[in-house]
Amino acid sequence: HEAVARSDKVAGYLLSSSDRRHLQDGCIAVDLRGLTSVDKLPSPLPPASNRDGLFPDIFDLTDYPLAIFKPDPMDLPATKSGQVAHLKISGQITIRGATRPVAVKADCRLSGETLACAGSAIVDARQFALLLPGSDSPIQVDPMITIEFSLLFS
């Protein structure tokens, strides 16, 4: 079973050159206190939302409520308005106070003044000291976590 939790508590910015050909700076922050489970567990298991109460401990949300991604500066492809650009974005992600490099794959489309991006990154929960069930637990959790996103910038 694949556990899925989402948050709509996201804020951030991207700063590009005036010709929109170079990403100069950016920061995207997710308030992890807004995570809610959206997957469905098979019967007779309890609702997936029962695990939402574990998030404060898993992520140590009292001390580290935010996950933060900062992209590295990069050249951007020349695209026409409405055309999709397939990007590989390197940067740094901070979760539970630990900052690690991350590679993000994203499909982005600029239409007028609005940039829409959707993509994903894979991180190893062990690099961020996330509290996952141990090997002796009947619940097995893959430490490789896929972070998916869909963002609009305007």
Side-chain angles (χ1 to χ4, degrees):
H1 177 79
E2 188 169 294
V4 178
R6 293 195 175 124
S7 176
D8 60 0
K9 296 183 178 189
V10 180
Y13 70 91
L14 296 174
L15 178 63
S16 70
S17 58
S18 60
D19 64 1
R20 298 183 175 165
R21 294 296 314 276
H22 187 76
L23 176 63
Q24 297 171 327
D25 191 21
C27 182
I28 299 158
V30 179
D31 187 336
L32 299 175
R33 294 170 295 189
L35 282 175
T36 55
S37 296
V38 296
D39 56 304
K40 304 283 188 230
L41 294 173
S43 187
L45 295 173
S49 59
N50 285 8
R51 109 177 125 243
D52 294 356
L54 301 174
F55 294 149
D57 291 331
I58 292 170
F59 293 101
D60 191 7
L61 296 180
T62 300
D63 292 329
Y64 307 103
L66 302 177
I68 299 170
F69 172 68
K70 293 185 177 185
D72 294 335
M74 64 181 281
D75 292 329
L76 300 170
T79 58
K80 297 177 183 172
S81 182
Q83 183 180 2
V84 175
H86 307 287
L87 303 176
K88 292 181 182 175
I89 306 165
S90 62
Q92 302 290 316
I93 190 165
T94 303
I95 302 171
R96 203 169 187 236
T99 301
R100 304 284 184 264
V102 68
V104 175
K105 292 181 182 177
D107 291 334
C108 298
R109 178 191 323 254
L110 181 63
S111 296
E113 295 297 313
T114 301
L115 177 66
C117 290
S120 64
I122 297 174
V123 299
D124 185 339
R126 297 168 293 198
Q127 291 185 334
F128 300 96
L130 298 183
L131 300 179
L132 301 178
S135 59
D136 58 340
S137 171
I139 299 170
Q140 296 299 305
V141 177
D142 185 347
M144 302 309 290
I145 298 173
T146 301
I147 300 170
E148 297 177 327
F149 59 89
S150 178
L151 302 170
L152 289 175
F153 298 92
S154 55

